[in-house]
Amino acid sequence: MGGCKPRHILEILLLNLGTPVSKTRLVELLWGPRASSGAVATLESYISGIRRAIQPGNTKTGPLRTANSGYVLDPQLVELDLTDFQQLLHAARQAAPAEAHGLAIQALELADEPLLGFELGADWAEDARTRHAAEKVAAQILAAETAAFLDKPQVTISLAQTAIQSEPLNERAWTILVAGYEQAGLPVEGLAAYERCRRLFDRDLGCAPGPALQAAHLRLLRQRAEGNAELSEVLAALLYLGERLHGPKCSQYAAEESRRMQENAGRVLDTFLRQARAAV
């Protein structure tokens, strides 16, 4: 391309495929506030060089066009992975789960490498990478959710874990991860994932996970207690006492019955805690 500036111009136009970018904006992105008075002329010379490079012998009717005091690349004449990724993700969001999963996976295959990973010193490239990274996480979560719908829990877990690596505070990703472990019949792993999420949210956000994630956690607790009478009793006691503490003040039980159930729940928990202390 004849140097980094022509390459940057082409990349900026590709990031805005089909949308004109003014000369003023290009100068601002390329040279910043310290641009010289001759920056526009230099830009125009770079554009001429780009035309010769990407459309030799066809400099007037090729994909690079002049428009609105700037330049634009014709999307009908340019094939771009980034555009294909965005179109596939948009189609996946509109499709039924079975089709959406395949479309989201196709999109992620196109986004395997970092966007403009070799342009580490340009703010405009970093901004584009940040936006694209968020879109990629959205595609991973959509693929994970549709995998769960298709009863593919291992795929769900893998995609959710990848999304969390990129966005550790993404509650939707944590929710689908915990639900994936539930679907896979792995309550211990799911409970461990919830605990990691709870601690992370408490440390970085100062809050607890939301209702959807708490509901998934409760289902895992019940799944973990199945087949174990003692754990089932403990869980039932905790749920009852939690309802008494945080639920509505009026009770569906008569006063005497309520007192009896509360005492029984207390005995169950006291016995369990004694056994736990003895086992340590």
Side-chain angles (χ1 to χ4, degrees), residues 31-94:
W31 287 283
R34 293 175 294 180
S36 67
S37 58
V40 172
T42 303
L43 171 64
E44 291 171 345
S45 69
Y46 286 150
I47 289 290
S48 296
I50 295 171
R51 281 198 170 107
R52 289 192 298 271
I54 68 174
Q55 48 200 56
N58 194 25
T59 57
K60 293 186 178 180
T61 58
L64 180 52
R65 311 284 176 82
T66 301
N68 298 337
S69 300
Y71 305 98
V72 63
L73 284 168
D74 186 346
Q76 301 301 317
L77 301 177
V78 176
E79 184 177 348
L80 187 65
D81 283 350
L82 179 61
T83 301
D84 291 344
F85 166 84
Q86 292 167 341
Q87 291 174 346
L88 284 166
L89 180 55
H90 176 75
R93 285 169 169 156
Q94 310 300 317

Side-chain angles (χ1 to χ4, degrees), residues 213-230:
L213 192 47
Q214 290 185 26
H217 178 237
L218 181 57
R219 292 195 303 270
L220 281 171
L221 286 171
R222 286 172 171 153
Q223 189 179 101
R224 180 73 179 87
E226 286 179 2
N228 187 317
E230 186 176 10

Side-chain angles (χ1 to χ4, degrees), residues 193-270:
Y194 177 86
E195 182 60 18
R196 291 196 303 274
C197 173
R198 186 195 65 76
R199 291 183 179 182
L200 183 66
F201 279 33
D202 181 61
R203 184 193 70 192
D204 292 357
L205 301 177
C207 68
L213 192 47
Q214 290 185 26
H217 178 237
L218 181 57
R219 292 195 303 270
L220 281 171
L221 286 171
R222 286 172 171 153
Q223 189 179 101
R224 180 73 179 87
E226 286 179 2
N228 187 317
E230 186 176 10
L231 279 179
S232 295
E233 284 187 351
V234 171
L235 178 59
L238 284 170
L239 291 174
Y240 171 75
L241 292 175
E243 182 180 337
R244 292 282 298 170
L245 285 172
H246 305 293
K249 297 303 180 183
C250 59
S251 174
Q252 58 179 316
Y253 306 106
E256 181 61 26
E257 178 69 5
S258 178
R259 183 185 63 79
R260 186 188 65 78
M261 292 177 66
Q262 188 167 338
E263 289 177 352
N264 183 64
R267 282 195 297 270
V268 168
L269 291 178
D270 182 63

Side-chain angles (χ1 to χ4, degrees), residues 156-222:
T156 297
I157 292 168
S158 177
L159 287 164
Q161 288 173 333
T162 303
I164 289 168
Q165 288 175 1
S166 298
E167 292 186 8
L169 297 176
N170 190 310
E171 186 167 351
R172 188 174 167 192
W174 280 106
T175 301
I176 190 62
L177 175 62
V178 172
Y181 281 125
E182 177 191 1
Q183 190 177 42
L186 299 170
V188 174
E189 290 83 349
L191 291 170
Y194 177 86
E195 182 60 18
R196 291 196 303 274
C197 173
R198 186 195 65 76
R199 291 183 179 182
L200 183 66
F201 279 33
D202 181 61
R203 184 193 70 192
D204 292 357
L205 301 177
C207 68
L213 192 47
Q214 290 185 26
H217 178 237
L218 181 57
R219 292 195 303 270
L220 281 171
L221 286 171
R222 286 172 171 153

Side-chain angles (χ1 to χ4, degrees), residues 1-144:
M1 297 303 300
C4 66
K5 282 291 191 287
R7 185 181 73 243
H8 290 173
I9 294 168
L10 181 59
E11 289 165 352
I12 292 168
L13 294 176
L14 286 167
L15 289 172
N16 295 274
L17 184 62
T19 301
V21 183
S22 69
K23 294 179 183 179
T24 301
R25 179 59 176 158
L26 284 168
V27 168
E28 178 185 350
L29 291 172
L30 294 167
W31 287 283
R34 293 175 294 180
S36 67
S37 58
V40 172
T42 303
L43 171 64
E44 291 171 345
S45 69
Y46 286 150
I47 289 290
S48 296
I50 295 171
R51 281 198 170 107
R52 289 192 298 271
I54 68 174
Q55 48 200 56
N58 194 25
T59 57
K60 293 186 178 180
T61 58
L64 180 52
R65 311 284 176 82
T66 301
N68 298 337
S69 300
Y71 305 98
V72 63
L73 284 168
D74 186 346
Q76 301 301 317
L77 301 177
V78 176
E79 184 177 348
L80 187 65
D81 283 350
L82 179 61
T83 301
D84 291 344
F85 166 84
Q86 292 167 341
Q87 291 174 346
L88 284 166
L89 180 55
H90 176 75
R93 285 169 169 156
Q94 310 300 317
E99 183 183 0
H101 180 72
L103 292 170
I105 293 297
Q106 289 181 54
L108 289 170
E109 289 172 351
L110 287 174
D112 188 49
E113 297 295 330
L115 180 66
L116 295 173
F118 46 86
E119 299 291 9
L120 300 179
D123 290 342
W124 54 265
E126 181 60 28
D127 290 342
R129 272 193 297 274
T130 300
R131 291 192 300 271
H132 180 58
E135 290 180 328
K136 188 174 177 180
V137 169
Q140 290 164 345
I141 293 174
L142 177 59

